[in-house]
Amino acid sequence: MSSPLVEVRQLRDRIGQIVTVRGWVRNARTSKTRFIELRDGSGFIQCVAGAEVCDPESYEMAGRLTQECALAATGLVQTHPRSGAPELLVQHLELLGESRDFPITPKEHGIEFLMEKRHLWLRSKRQWAILRIRHAIAKAIRDFFDGEGFTLLDAPILTPSACEGTSTLFATEYFHEGQAFLSQSGQLYQEPGLAAFGKTYCFGPTFRAEKSKTRRHLTEFWMVEPEVAFAHLEDVMVLGERMMKSILERVLETKREELSVLERDLGPLESALSVEYARMTYTDAVARLRELGSDIQWGEDFGNDDETILMNAMDRPLWVHRFPKAFKAFYMEPDPEDDRLALGADLLAPEGYGEVIGGGERASSLDYLLGQISHHGLNRADYEWYLDVRRYGGVPHAGFGLGLERAVAWICKLPHVRETAPYPRMMGTLRP
Ligand code: 4AD
Ligand code: MG
């Protein structure tokens, strides 16, 4: 056969032509006419094999296709009379790869089973849609920062010290240097970069030994972390909001099919693209939470439930800022107006999703940081290099981290973060 090989996504431009597509059989229905739903990663196409058009051997093969076998189908591209979508009127089929007893059948499966079979579950239409949206978000993030003149400054994964507290570190032996830790955040490595590049970002995997099993926590997740010289708390909220909007714009522009596979209600996304985000101090947020029925006390960090309660009551993303120092990281700038507070800001996503961004202004005083390092029980020698940022041309600076999987979970409106990564890592999940 010498018909052109095309991808499913290109079929719209091939109406009336004879072409070959290659892919995997999602589903095959047999009656007099045989219907094969084929998937090649770029899209889904219905192939129709009827005895009149199809050669006899292929017609017979179409009657005994198994789920997930690989196939090349050649035929005429036409539009489906009702839906208007392209379909393939099959003339010839070639079996490219057999598949026997594919474990994930169209019936309902339990989540544990699906997680064990993650490498096969990726083939489902739902996972296809989610992970294509993840890709679009990651690309939109890079395009945003590249377009804003940020320099990509990759942060190391193996690090000597903690950034976000010592209770969630994964440790490993590092030759004679002792213990190394998987990075919790690239932030400490962005800050020295400012004096060289002005505005930097890193975007890579980060790790937290989170022992809790929640629908928001992974042990390995991707974070984008911009850092800006001469920036303050206010700039973090402005930059974070602009970045979120550019992500939403991209997804709404290019991922309509995937959003519709997920039956995502577009209203809240469109609204988050156009409205100004709300802002509330931590102190006001605590008061609001208590009105909403939470028993949170001033000084306590939000629990997952608090974030859900707060964000179910909001019609737009919310910046919460100025948190008690006591539960925030050591590097935060204290609030000059209230010594109990740190100049941090978190962005909480609506529809009950909660924190997607964490960031703020960084402490500028060397003495204050030294006090913090000792107060947090950290080893000063591990941070001497970081303290140099304040010793040689220290200036105010600020930044934030957006968790990619949290963003995907909200944008796709998923009940759990486990479906947002190709191979998610959580407590109790190390395979496949
Ligand atoms: O709020 P976090 O801990 O902030 C930092 O790590 C800062 N050093 C970032 C910075 O300012 N450069 O984490 C930032 C974001 C959170 O808002 C959340 O979206 C995500 O990272 N995140 C997680 N995502 C999934 N699973 C986890 N266990 C996460 N922990 C944090
Ligand atoms: Mg946080």
Side-chain angles (χ1 to χ4, degrees):
M1 287 272 160
S2 61
S3 48
L5 271 175
V6 298
E7 291 179 25
V8 168
R9 69 188 167 95
Q10 300 164 324
L11 289 177
R12 266 187 198 286
D13 305 324
R14 296 285 189 161
I15 308 293
Q17 299 179 24
I18 309 252
V19 302
T20 299
V21 290
R22 293 177 299 188
W24 292 262
V25 172
R26 220 174 96 74
N27 189 23
R29 284 182 293 127
T30 294
S31 56
K32 202 161 150 286
T33 306
R34 278 127 202 210
F35 297 94
I36 309 157
E37 203 188 332
L38 205 65
R39 174 195 77 239
D40 76 344
S42 77
F44 303 82
I45 180 78
Q46 167 151 280
C47 305
V48 184
E52 320 74 47
V53 180
C54 201
D55 69 59
E57 254 172 59
S58 301
Y59 178 72
E60 189 270 328
M61 186 200 294
R64 54 182 170 79
L65 291 172
T66 54
Q67 192 193 345
E68 293 302 325
C69 69
L71 207 62
T74 301
L76 177 71
V77 188
Q78 56 181 26
T79 42
H80 186 277
R82 276 190 311 280
S83 72
E87 63 174 18
L88 196 80
L89 199 59
V90 178
Q91 298 173 344
H92 182 72
L93 293 177
E94 190 185 339
L95 187 66
L96 302 177
E98 289 183 2
S99 164
R100 274 190 215 105
D101 304 322
F102 188 71
I104 304 175
T105 58
K107 70 164 198 196
E108 289 272 316
H109 292 284
I111 188 65
E112 260 176 54
F113 177 80
L114 290 171
M115 289 296 287
E116 252 172 52
K117 299 276 183 264
R118 182 62 177 165
H119 56 298
L120 301 177
W121 191 22
L122 294 177
R123 303 186 190 195
S124 81
K125 210 166 188 171
R126 177 180 162 87
Q127 301 310 313
W128 173 84
I130 295 168
L131 294 173
R132 299 244 306 178
I133 291 172
R134 176 186 165 107
H135 176 196
I137 294 174
K139 176 85 165 75
I141 288 171
R142 289 193 189 283
D143 289 345
F144 176 79
F145 288 111
D146 294 348
E148 294 276 321
F150 282 70
T151 298
L152 175 71
L153 192 69
D154 297 310
I157 303 275
L158 290 167
T159 63
S161 48
C163 180
E164 297 298 321
T166 49
S167 64
T168 59
L169 287 172
F170 281 115
T172 183
E173 287 311 311
Y174 197 73
F175 311 112
H176 59 273
E177 274 98 324
Q179 279 196 317
F181 306 104
L182 297 183
S183 175
Q184 297 168 310
S185 158
Q187 179 197 321
L188 302 189
Y189 294 91
Q190 297 307 297
E191 292 183 51
L194 295 184
F197 305 100
K199 297 190 282 190
T200 66
Y201 73 99
C202 58
F203 190 9
T206 43
F207 305 84
R208 308 267 168 107
E210 302 273 7
K211 295 215 177 69
S212 52
K213 290 190 177 176
T214 80
R215 60 197 175 87
R216 294 184 183 148
H217 288 89
L218 294 165
T219 52
E220 176 177 332
F221 59 96
W222 277 61
M223 183 158 44
V224 61
E225 297 183 82
E227 194 73 26
V228 183
F230 312 108
H232 299 275
L233 181 66
E234 169 71 18
D235 303 303
V236 165
M237 293 190 267
V238 171
L239 183 69
E241 185 163 331
R242 288 182 47 235
M243 177 200 66
M244 279 312 303
K245 287 178 174 170
S246 82
I247 293 172
L248 289 166
E249 188 176 18
R250 177 73 62 85
V251 171
L252 285 166
E253 218 173 79
T254 63
K255 290 289 164 268
R256 290 282 167 156
E257 182 184 353
E258 289 81 351
L259 289 166
S260 110
V261 167
L262 299 172
E263 297 176 5
R264 177 56 160 122
D265 166 15
L266 300 184
L269 300 182
E270 282 164 349
S271 147
L273 174 58
S274 55
V275 299
E276 197 173 317
Y277 295 0
R279 292 187 185 187
M280 217 181 259
T281 62
Y282 163 86
T283 302
D284 288 346
V286 167
R288 181 84 184 103
L289 271 168
R290 294 185 62 86
E291 279 166 25
L292 291 166
S294 165
D295 55 10
I296 189 172
Q297 303 288 331
W298 196 97
E300 291 172 0
D301 199 357
F302 300 147
N304 288 330
D305 291 346
D306 293 317
E307 291 189 357
T308 305
I309 296 171
L310 191 59
M311 294 319 290
N312 275 334
M314 294 293 299
D315 67 348
R316 62 189 64 200
L318 168 70
W319 284 107
V320 179
H321 55 94
R322 294 179 165 81
F323 295 92
K325 275 200 297 226
F327 63 76
K328 284 291 185 187
F330 76 96
Y331 52 70
M332 288 205 179
E333 176 78 351
D335 185 349
E337 319 248 295
D338 184 340
D339 187 44
R340 298 169 307 162
L341 304 178
L343 295 181
D346 285 1
L347 184 70
L348 276 53
E351 302 178 88
Y353 275 87
E355 182 186 339
V356 290
I357 290 180
E361 192 167 332
R362 319 309 188 187
S364 49
S365 147
L366 179 61
D367 286 342
Y368 177 76
L369 265 180
L370 285 170
Q372 285 287 92
I373 285 171
S374 117
H375 177 74
H376 284 254
L378 303 169
N379 178 13
R380 174 172 168 172
D382 293 336
Y383 295 87
E384 284 299 339
W385 65 274
Y386 173 70
L387 295 168
D388 279 349
V389 176
R390 280 79 186 168
R391 290 190 180 111
Y392 306 107
V395 295
H397 59 282
F400 66 79
L402 165 80
L404 176 62
E405 290 77 8
R406 298 264 184 100
V408 175
W410 168 49
I411 290 173
C412 295
K413 202 168 181 180
L414 307 178
H416 197 292
V417 84
R418 68 187 154 220
E419 286 177 274
T420 62
Y423 298 97
R425 293 289 173 256
M426 296 169 293
M427 198 168 77
T429 309
L430 190 56
R431 282 196 193 87

